[in-house]
Amino acid sequence: RLIQEVIKEPRTTSKELQASLASIKVSVHDSTIRERLGKNSIHGRVSRQKPLLTKKNTKARLTFAKNYLDYPQDFWANILWTDVTKVEPTQHFIKTTSYQQSNMVVVV
């Protein structure tokens, strides 16, 4: 029941789960709930906050995008992408709005 509730609502706290179990007359400590969920590979972790882009970083990204906008596909095929970005060989780069360029979205 715990796993079903957590899958249905991932942000449920152990105290809320404890109260849910108490409504059906089951008394369980909240640390026991966390332990059981952990053994089922459900961990209560908070994702890391990404740092906000500064004006300097935004300007640098826009400059980079503008400088490399018209490079041929062969150039991009030889780039080693180290982040989660995946560029397919069939995709090509096009000119985009300044908003998209500042967010490094220059592929279609």
Side-chain angles (χ1 to χ4, degrees), residues 5-96:
E5 285 190 37
V6 172
I7 289 173
K8 186 170 41 173
E9 181 55 51
R11 293 185 176 262
T12 306
T13 65
S14 60
K15 291 288 187 183
E16 291 169 344
L17 292 170
Q18 185 181 28
S20 172
L21 290 173
S23 69
I24 58 169
K25 309 267 193 273
V26 176
S27 177
V28 180
H29 199 269
D30 62 332
S31 63
T32 305
I33 294 171
R34 288 192 303 271
E35 181 183 323
R36 289 289 140 201
L37 291 174
K39 288 189 178 192
N40 287 285
S41 300
I42 301 173
H43 305 283
R45 296 188 178 115
V46 177
S47 61
R48 190 183 82 168
Q49 294 290 326
K50 289 186 177 181
L52 297 174
L53 290 176
T54 63
K55 290 185 186 257
K56 178 181 172 183
N57 289 343
T58 305
K59 185 177 178 183
R61 285 178 176 219
L62 183 58
T63 303
F64 174 85
K66 286 180 178 178
N67 289 342
Y68 288 93
L69 189 61
D70 296 322
Y71 275 56
Q73 183 62 37
D74 295 339
F75 173 81
W76 296 108
N78 294 322
I79 300 295
L80 174 63
W81 299 96
T82 58
D83 61 343
V84 293
T85 303
K86 182 177 181 182
V87 177
E88 296 293 329
T90 58
Q91 291 178 337
H92 62 279
F93 288 66
I94 62 168
K95 293 187 178 186
T96 58

